[in-house]
Amino acid sequence: SEHGRRHFCPACGTGLFYTNDEVFPGLIDVQTATLDDPGALQPTAHVQVAERIAWMSTAHDLPAFERYPG
């Protein structure tokens, strides 16, 4: 986008974070999968849900399986 900036690892090129002072000034969107321990940070909000598929709002209520169900 015109105002967004993506930041990458200089060694491997992995996308690390995104900034956009026009849309969310002062905030940094960190790519969670790039963290050494993503479980160390608790989520605090859902973002970008304007066009979310309706059933995603209750997806956390579905049964969960550690591996494929038998």
Side-chain angles (χ1 to χ4, degrees):
S1 68
E2 180 182 351
H3 302 285
R5 300 291 176 258
R6 298 185 186 284
H7 303 267
F8 301 90
C9 172
C12 70
T14 297
L16 298 175
F17 53 94
Y18 173 82
T19 59
N20 189 323
D21 288 333
E22 190 73 21
V23 177
F24 47 92
L27 298 176
I28 298 173
D29 178 7
V30 177
Q31 305 303 304
T32 311
T34 65
L35 299 174
D36 291 336
D37 184 7
L41 299 174
Q42 294 295 315
T44 58
H46 291 258
V47 297
Q48 296 291 77
V49 298
E51 290 87 24
R52 166 173 65 185
I53 296 171
W55 54 260
M56 279 301 296
S57 64
T58 58
H60 62 279
D61 293 332
L62 295 171
F65 301 93
E66 288 187 21
R67 303 284 185 254
Y68 286 105

